[in-house]
């Protein structure tokens, strides 16, 4: 359709009647709308006077009022008149007209627009409705834009500010608030295990509950955000003491059991606390300090609060002194090995031991590995320490294997992340086995999930080489890292040692029950053994029997013992009751 055709169609089908006339009112055009409305044929009107369409009273009005005004002002608007239709009935309408004066060889022209009043009303209503719609859609657009802006700064799952939202809020708050300002980095313990064993839907549900509890346990003014995964942040105007108190309140709030997908779960969190020390402390620095603190909290175990220490130098000095002492201890024979029995759950007999290092400190007494392993690992001294442990443990295992008076048992030795990364490890193990003449099948090396994740390529190569020697491989502290089943299948693993923190919750925390059961199933699906560590109660043992766990280790059976004490030790037969239930006489 051409523009001219388009204009003609618009003229003909306009929502109102159109007439054009000469200056003296002779009709030159009439549109379809007018003809339809008034019932005329075009031929009836063209060439006749427009006045014939009006009743007598309105003719006078038009001639004396409208025409002069059109000639002088060029326009009249909305004059109420009646139009006489072809059937002689009168139709009330509004008449609006404009005059275009003569130009060149074109004569002057009147354009008359006729709106029937009902049409006009409908038109007005439509106009008003359209305006309303436009306003509503404008409001909706504004709302949508706001939503979008909010979403960009919010986490969709919990509705809390996300990383970007937190940055924005903190920057704003730190600029406006006088010090001190406190920030809590809240990291759920073992969330990965919940996700892995109960599924991501359960994980999402749990995160939602956690978000709600965090919000509910802080002041209205506090900022609560979700950084990523299972990491949350709470920030508010707090000094160090108030921040620690809040951290404890948050932990208590999170610790109330909750039901997720029909399972009762107890959530715990590690919290790192940091407080602004100077006006120069940025949001980023505060967050970093809190992250360092939470890292320490997690390393120290579940459910802990650690405060970032700006005077870390003191700790560094202490660590340096400790390192010096430990170096002398390794060389000077102050290290000891204790052996903790491992029990076959079905038979109730000891099948092996785990070698656990201790430090006989000249002033501080017998120290557990927690007091020095970190320092050894960080400094690299763990290589020498590890070499001593390996040599001592293999020598002991060989003595027991050669002694007819003693049962032959497997010897499990812990291998740290750094040791596993050491290119000399395979050669060292080969040499130690040869030196003491131990059957390689009696040695199990325990590596942590974290060590496998740190450098998987090297770890896989090393483990395959160790495997080729005939040595067994166990994944220690299983469930605390992030290794998935497919991930683990890359490594030649013989057993999974389920972390003590899950075993602890057996029978009291449905979530832990599910996690342990899943770990056992996982091990069996991979065709390897499941070992539960840290078994302290008969209830835990029975739960593990029900899950078909293969081996157990824990204070319920024995604490780590010296070699001499172990030789005198024999397990209590706890399976007897199961084989032949005790009947009461009578
Ligand atoms: P791990 O390998 O997970 O060792 C198990 C720890 O749990 C041992 O603590 C053991 O005494 C403790 N344990 C065993 N049964 C129970 C129980 O029923 N309840 C409780 N509450 N605890 C129980 P330990 O000997 O203090 O060792 C702590 C960690 O130090 C070990 O954890 C291991 O990661 C590390 N470690 C110990 N010896 C060595 C070593 O020779 N080399 C290396 N690299 N790390 C070692
Ligand atoms: Ca271990
Ligand atoms: Ca362990």
């Amino acid at each position: 359709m051409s523009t001219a055709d388009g204009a003609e169609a618009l003229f003909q089908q306009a929502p109102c009647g159109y007439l054009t006339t000469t200056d003296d009112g002779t009709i030159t055009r009439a549109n379809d709308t007018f003809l339809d409305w008034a019932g005329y044929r075009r031929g009836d009107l063209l060439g006749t006077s427009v006045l014939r369409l009006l009743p007598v009273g309105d003719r006078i009005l038009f001639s004396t009022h409208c025409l002069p005004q059109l000639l002088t002002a060029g326009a009249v608007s909305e004059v109420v008149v009646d139009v006489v239709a072809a059937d002689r009935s009168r139709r009330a309408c509004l008449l609006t007209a404009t005059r275009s004066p003569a130009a060149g060889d074109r004569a002057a022209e009147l354009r008359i627009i006729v709106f029937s009043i009902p049409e006009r009303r409908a038109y007005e209503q439509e106009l008003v409705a359209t305006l309303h719609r436009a306003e509503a859609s404008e409001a909706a657009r504004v709302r949508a834009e706001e939503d979008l802006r909010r979403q960009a700064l919010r986490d969709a799952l919990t509705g809390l500010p996300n990383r970007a939202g937190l940055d924005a809020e903190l920057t704003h708050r730190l600029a406006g608030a006088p010090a001190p300002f406190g920030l809590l980095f809240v990291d759920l313990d073992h969330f990965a295990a919940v996700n892995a064993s109960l599924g991501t839907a359960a994980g999402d549900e749990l995160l939602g509950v956690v978000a709600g509890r965090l919000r509910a346990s802080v002041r209205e003014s506090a900022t609560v955000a979700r950084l990523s995964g299972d990491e949350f942040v709470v920030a508010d105007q707090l000094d160090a003491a108030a921040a620690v108190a809040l951290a404890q309140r948050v932990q208590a709030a999170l610790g109330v059991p909750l039901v997720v997908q029909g399972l009762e779960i107890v959530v715990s969190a590690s919290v790192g606390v940091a407080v602004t020390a100077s006006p120069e402390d940025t949001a980023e620095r505060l967050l970093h300090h809190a992250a360092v603190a939470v890292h320490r909290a997690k390393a120290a175990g579940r459910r802990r609060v650690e405060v970032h220490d700006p005077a870390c130098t003191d700790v560094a000095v202490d660590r340096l002194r400790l390192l010096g002492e430990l170096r002398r201890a390794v060389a000077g024979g102050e290290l000891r090995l204790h052996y903790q029995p491992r029990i076959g759950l079905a038979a109730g007999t000891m099948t092996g031991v785990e070698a656990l290092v201790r430090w006989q400190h000249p002033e501080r007494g017998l120290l557990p590995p927690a007091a020095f392993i970190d320092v050894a690992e960080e400094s690299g001294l763990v290589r020498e320490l590890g070499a001593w442990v390996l040599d001592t443990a293999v020598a002991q295992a060989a003595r027991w294997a050669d002694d007819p008076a003693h049962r032959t048992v497997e010897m499990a030795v812990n291998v740290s992340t750094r040791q596993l990364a050491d290119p000399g490890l395979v050669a060292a193990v080969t040499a130690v086995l040869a030196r003491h003449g131990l059957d390689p099948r009696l040695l199990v090396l325990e590596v942590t999930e974290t060590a496998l994740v740190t450098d998987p390529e090297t770890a896989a190569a090393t483990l395959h080489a160790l495997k080729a020697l005939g040595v067994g491989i166990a994944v220690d502290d299983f469930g605390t890292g992030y290794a998935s089943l497919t991930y683990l299948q890359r490594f030649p693993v013989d057993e999974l040692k389920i972390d003590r923190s899950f075993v602890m919750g057996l029978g009291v925390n449905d979530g832990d029950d599910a996690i342990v059961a899943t770990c056992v199933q996982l091990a069996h699906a991979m065709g390897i053994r499941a070992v539960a560590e840290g078994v302290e109660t008969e209830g835990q043992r029975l739960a593990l029997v029900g899950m078909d766990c293969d081996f157990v280790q824990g204070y319920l059976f024995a604490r780590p013992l010296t070699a001499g004490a172990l030789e005198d030790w024999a397990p209590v037969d706890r399976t007897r009751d199961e084989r032949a239930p005790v009947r009461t006489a009578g």
Side-chain angles (χ1 to χ4, degrees), residues 354 414 446 476 497 533:
E354 177 179 2
N414 292 285
E446 298 192 358
D476 206 352
K497 293 194 80 175
E533 52 181 18

Side-chain angles (χ1 to χ4, degrees), residues 5-54:
D5 291 344
E8 179 62 21
L10 260 179
F11 171 79
Q12 295 299 349
Q13 263 99 60
C16 47
Y18 268 110
L19 299 170
T20 58
T21 72
T22 57
D23 251 352
D24 64 3
T26 305
I27 297 173
T28 51
R29 295 180 79 195
N31 75 344
D32 293 347
T33 310
F34 184 83
L35 297 175
D36 290 348
W37 174 64
Y40 293 105
R41 284 171 299 161
R42 191 164 274 115
D44 300 337
L45 295 184
L46 297 187
T48 65
S49 170
V50 70
L51 295 177
R52 281 187 43 212
L53 289 171
L54 305 174

Side-chain angles (χ1 to χ4, degrees), residues 525-586:
M526 292 171 71
I528 62 177
R529 315 184 288 194
V531 186
E533 52 181 18
V535 180
E536 294 185 354
T537 68
E538 181 62 11
Q540 291 163 355
R541 187 186 74 86
L542 285 173
L544 290 162
V545 169
M547 292 172 187
D548 207 20
C549 186
D550 304 291
F551 297 95
V552 283
Q553 198 181 320
Y555 293 173
L556 176 66
F557 308 94
R559 291 189 173 249
L561 306 166
T562 60
L566 187 88
E567 283 160 12
D568 296 335
W569 178 85
V572 177
D573 186 0
R574 289 167 203 277
T575 59
R576 197 190 49 218
D577 294 353
E578 284 149 29
R579 285 201 300 268
V582 181
R583 289 173 208 283
T584 41

Side-chain angles (χ1 to χ4, degrees), residues 127-325:
L127 201 68
V128 169
T130 306
L131 278 173
H132 275 315
R133 273 202 299 278
E135 276 166 17
S137 77
E138 171 66 8
R141 190 186 57 75
V142 169
R143 236 185 357 261
E145 264 176 18
E146 265 170 16
D147 280 356
L148 262 178
R149 226 186 345 264
R150 229 189 1 256
Q151 275 161 20
L153 296 177
R154 274 189 194 265
D155 157 44
L157 180 65
T158 59
L160 295 177
N162 57 18
R163 178 71 189 237
L166 176 72
D167 282 348
E169 241 181 274
L170 280 187
T171 307
H172 174 75
R173 292 194 66 177
L174 281 173
F181 193 84
L183 188 144
L184 276 54
F185 197 119
V186 180
D187 190 323
L188 302 187
D189 297 321
H190 306 331
F191 177 70
V194 173
N195 252 347
S197 56
L198 305 185
T200 44
D204 285 355
E205 197 179 329
L206 188 130
L207 290 173
V209 173
V210 166
R213 287 186 179 180
L214 285 178
R215 205 46 276 182
S217 57
V218 299
R219 285 191 298 210
E220 187 78 29
S221 65
T223 297
V224 177
R226 177 168 171 234
L227 272 194
S228 66
D230 55 353
E231 297 171 343
F232 294 85
V233 160
V234 175
D236 204 358
Q237 199 146 349
L238 300 165
D239 62 14
V244 170
L246 180 62
Q248 278 153 357
R249 215 161 56 238
V250 161
Q251 279 184 325
L254 294 182
V256 177
L258 67 125
V259 176
V260 169
Q261 311 211 330
L263 290 177
E264 189 174 271
I265 291 183
V266 181
V267 187
S268 71
S270 303
V271 186
V273 176
V275 179
T276 49
S278 76
E280 285 88 62
D281 275 338
T282 58
E284 197 183 324
R285 191 181 308 172
L286 198 58
L287 197 60
H288 174 70
H289 286 169
V292 169
V294 83
H295 187 73
R296 251 192 309 135
K298 284 196 102 66
R302 235 177 180 182
R303 212 187 305 260
R304 290 179 65 100
V305 177
E306 287 283 337
V307 182
H308 177 74
D309 186 357
C312 261
T313 43
D314 289 351
V315 179
V317 168
D318 278 357
R319 285 178 88 82
L320 220 55
R321 185 183 321 119
L322 182 69
L323 184 60
E325 288 182 356

